[in-house]
Amino acid sequence: MLDIKFLRQNIDFVRKKMRERNVDVDLDKFTSLDSGRRDILQEVETLRSERNRVSREIGQKKKNKEDASELIDRMSEVSTRIKELDESLRKTEEDLHDLIMIIPNIPHESVVYGASPEDNPVVREWGEKPDFDFEPRPHWETGENLNILDFARGAKITGARFTLYRGMGAMLERALINFMLDLHTSEHNYTEVLTPFMVNKESMTGTGQLPKFAEDLFKIEGMDYYLIPTAEVPVTNIHREEILNENDLPCYYVAYSPCFRSEAGSYGKDTRGLIRQHQFNKVEMVKFTTPETSYGELEKLTLNAEEVLKRLNIHYRIVNLCTGDLGFSSAKTYDLEAWMPGHNAYREISSCSNFEEFQARRANIRFRRAENGKVEFVHTLNGSGLAIGRTLVAILENYQQKDGSVIIPEALRPYMKGIDRITL
RNA sequence: GGAGAGAUGGCUGAGUGGCUGAAAGCGAUCGCCUGCUAAGCGAUUGUACGCCUUAAAAGGUGUACCGGGGGUUCGAAUCCCCCUCUCUCCGCCA
């Protein structure tokens, strides 16, 4: 959520930024609601002030055994009027709030203008595409042939976009989770947390999933709880409604969680394989920082995610999402795209974002300056470190052998009982 | 699921209708004192929103906030209703 004062004073700038994002927001409605609100506020506060003053007078008179009935009658009318104004104020503020909550973040100045993912500039690349002396197979073939991925059984147990992992496949998934958690906790200084996988409406609103993207979420029937689409939600909300000490910043968390997404609107996209599932595993990194350090922290966060692919020796590139591809809450996002030979394409495997104070404002996460005790909003950041299922895809596709077996990357072998290859 | 107790500022903890944004203590900050530390003394010590002033920082002023929402009243931390959460006991359960 944007600062209402900033919005008020920079309405044309915001209008331009919204156009660059290709979103349609009624900012004229904002202006009229906002000034309407202030008009009502001034009137009602003046009346309240009078009521407070006169009520005190009434108390005095009663104490002195004087007659106060005239004042009481007058204040009774004032109170009625206050009640009316309160009601219209409440309505105006509700409308204003509803509007503000669906306005996306403003892109950082280093984000280039662009309409679609094709316009995302490539920032850097690492490693090389592997050479194959045979036609590389997509992971779903390799996975089914090795009997480690069972799409049919997943569909039977639940439905489309659910997969049963078996034997070495299940073990590889678990190895990846542990490998990533160990890397980020031992070498990158993150604190591991294990969170609830269902959250309430306030948490979903805090990080920006609600109110605008309700259809992307799974909701528990009969309760106001939602399945998390990413650990970003519970982890960022750890400090909702809190004031942190500046000395405690930056604060790094890493969490494993399953993620649940309805994938509404992706019908027909990535229907085969593990790329797009209703349930997948992810290791997520979250940072809380001061405003002046957040962009430096974004670079470090992205490098932390990259380190995973480096250790697994998988070729990837980094793109800087353009204005048209940027997520709702984000001011700047780097996507890590891993090379997937079976797809003959780069596929997103991590997304690292700086939300600046957008989420902090929604979730009311602040910190106190050590220097002068002033309270400010923190900046929040997060990035996948990495999406586990897609990393498994990358391994199956990059490490596949002509005979259909798959080599286990060396870094993972300690987590795989020393096994160096998956064969039938 | 049943019965009970509770939720007040950074913390502990008073406060059962009026000058209480909130006693007292602790903590913190600043000053005095001091060879240093401790002790002592004094002062300061919430957040949000609006308006005025200002280049700004700051300041002034008003309003709101004692778990959340509603009600009673001229006036609510205080009385009433609903909800949430925490704790204790019983039942059930991994």
Side-chain angles (χ1 to χ4, degrees):
Chain A
M1 149 182 172
L2 301 178
D3 180 6
I4 193 158
K5 281 182 221 146
F6 176 84
L7 203 45
R8 195 181 290 153
Q9 287 159 15
N10 302 277
I11 196 81
D12 290 323
F13 173 77
V14 175
R15 209 184 297 278
K16 174 167 164 272
K17 289 294 170 183
M18 293 301 111
R19 259 200 307 275
E20 287 179 9
R21 259 182 176 275
N22 202 22
V23 299
D24 193 24
V25 190
D26 191 349
L27 291 176
D28 293 330
K29 188 175 166 197
F30 165 79
T31 304
S32 70
L33 284 171
D34 179 52
S35 72
R37 166 178 175 266
R38 277 180 296 161
D39 290 344
I40 301 168
L41 197 59
Q42 279 182 44
E43 190 180 349
V44 76
E45 288 194 347
T46 307
L47 289 177
R48 278 215 191 89
S49 174
E50 185 189 357
R51 185 177 72 183
N52 286 346
R53 185 172 46 78
V54 176
S55 288
R56 244 174 279 141
E57 234 174 87
I58 292 170
Q60 270 308 324
K61 289 210 167 182
K62 287 210 162 175
K63 204 184 267 177
N64 300 338
K65 301 271 192 273
E66 293 172 44
D67 177 40
S69 53
E70 190 201 324
L71 291 178
I72 289 175
D73 288 349
R74 213 175 88 217
M75 285 309 102
S76 180
E77 282 168 36
V78 169
S79 275
T80 307
R81 178 71 186 138
I82 288 175
K83 233 168 239 174
E84 289 166 14
L85 287 170
D86 270 343
E87 177 53 25
S88 81
L89 183 65
R90 191 199 57 75
K91 181 78 177 70
T92 306
E93 290 192 329
E94 188 183 303
D95 291 349
L96 193 59
H97 182 257
D98 288 351
L99 179 63
I100 281 181
M101 292 308 269
I102 59 169
I103 299 177
N105 204 353
I106 293 171
H108 186 251
E109 58 192 17
S110 64
V111 174
V112 304
Y113 172 79
S116 74
E118 286 84 66
D119 302 317
N120 296 337
V122 175
V123 177
R124 59 180 170 271
E125 296 186 20
W126 184 89
E128 295 172 7
K129 297 177 186 175
D131 278 330
F132 294 100
D133 55 1
F134 59 96
E135 184 66 25
R137 291 168 292 267
H139 68 279
W140 55 84
E141 279 183 33
T142 312
E144 283 183 323
N145 291 340
L146 291 172
N147 199 23
I148 57 175
L149 295 179
D150 190 337
F151 298 102
R153 264 28 178 285
K156 176 169 73 178
I157 296 165
T158 308
R161 298 200 194 282
F162 288 88
T163 302
L164 175 72
Y165 288 63
R166 198 188 271 278
M168 289 287 114
M171 195 189 196
L172 182 55
E173 182 92 355
R174 181 158 56 91
L176 283 167
I177 295 167
N178 286 328
F179 163 64
M180 293 183 201
L181 286 172
D182 282 353
L183 174 66
H184 297 312
T185 53
S186 309
E187 300 187 38
H188 299 152
N189 246 335
Y190 290 77
T191 301
E192 183 175 349
V193 289
L194 184 63
T195 70
F197 301 148
M198 289 182 209
V199 301
N200 57 31
K201 189 185 291 172
E202 288 71 28
S203 293
M204 282 296 186
T205 306
T207 33
Q209 281 73 22
L210 289 180
K212 208 177 170 188
F213 305 101
E215 62 181 20
D216 296 335
L217 302 170
F218 287 112
K219 185 169 191 295
I220 305 299
E221 189 162 10
M223 288 183 103
D224 251 359
Y225 293 165
Y226 299 81
L227 295 180
I228 57 172
T230 158
E232 160 194 353
V233 178
V235 177
T236 305
N237 278 283
I238 288 173
H239 295 301
R240 174 154 51 86
E241 309 287 342
E242 290 185 16
I243 299 177
L244 308 172
N245 291 317
E246 185 177 2
N247 301 336
D248 297 333
L249 301 177
C251 172
Y252 297 0
Y253 290 110
V254 64
Y256 153 75
S257 88
C259 305
F260 302 92
R261 299 185 181 180
S262 75
E263 294 298 341
S266 343
Y267 305 115
K269 238 190 241 175
D270 302 310
T271 50
R272 300 204 69 180
L274 284 179
I275 291 287
R276 196 173 297 276
Q277 299 274 290
H278 286 309
Q279 175 191 318
F280 62 95
N281 293 306
K282 186 154 60 69
V283 166
E284 183 78 2
M285 302 174 283
V286 174
K287 291 185 174 186
F288 299 84
T289 78
T290 56
E292 60 274 17
T293 58
S294 68
Y295 278 95
E297 291 290 347
L298 176 63
E299 297 302 318
K300 281 164 64 183
L301 177 74
T302 308
L303 285 170
N304 293 154
E306 289 177 58
E307 187 61 27
V308 176
L309 287 181
K310 286 177 183 167
R311 304 243 176 151
L312 297 176
N313 199 22
I314 290 169
H315 169 56
Y316 67 84
R317 65 181 192 186
I318 303 285
V319 299
N320 181 358
L321 297 195
C322 68
T323 54
D325 199 25
L326 204 58
F328 176 78
S329 301
S330 177
K332 180 173 185 175
T333 297
Y334 290 120
D335 270 8
L336 254 91
E337 299 181 333
W339 176 247
M340 309 274 189
H343 291 70
N344 194 35
Y346 292 94
R347 296 304 305 251
E348 176 191 336
I349 202 164
S350 169
S351 198
C352 301
S353 304
N354 184 359
F355 303 95
E356 299 188 359
E357 59 175 48
F358 189 84
Q359 292 181 328
R361 198 175 276 285
R362 289 177 157 241
N364 203 20
I365 309 168
R366 295 171 294 173
F367 75 101
R368 196 179 295 280
R369 289 279 181 195
E371 187 192 352
N372 54 14
K374 286 270 176 288
V375 175
E376 292 177 44
F377 288 106
V378 301
H379 279 197
T380 61
L381 300 86
N382 68 55
S384 349
L386 312 165
I388 303 295
R390 290 189 180 184
T391 307
L392 189 132
V393 168
I395 290 170
L396 294 186
E397 297 198 357
N398 282 283
Y399 282 87
Q400 60 180 306
Q401 307 299 306
K402 194 169 190 172
D403 64 2
S405 67
V406 172
I407 305 272
I408 301 296
E410 251 172 77
L412 284 180
R413 290 179 197 168
Y415 296 90
M416 292 284 288
K417 299 179 182 170
I419 293 164
D420 60 4
R421 186 191 283 255
I422 301 177
T423 53
L424 192 58

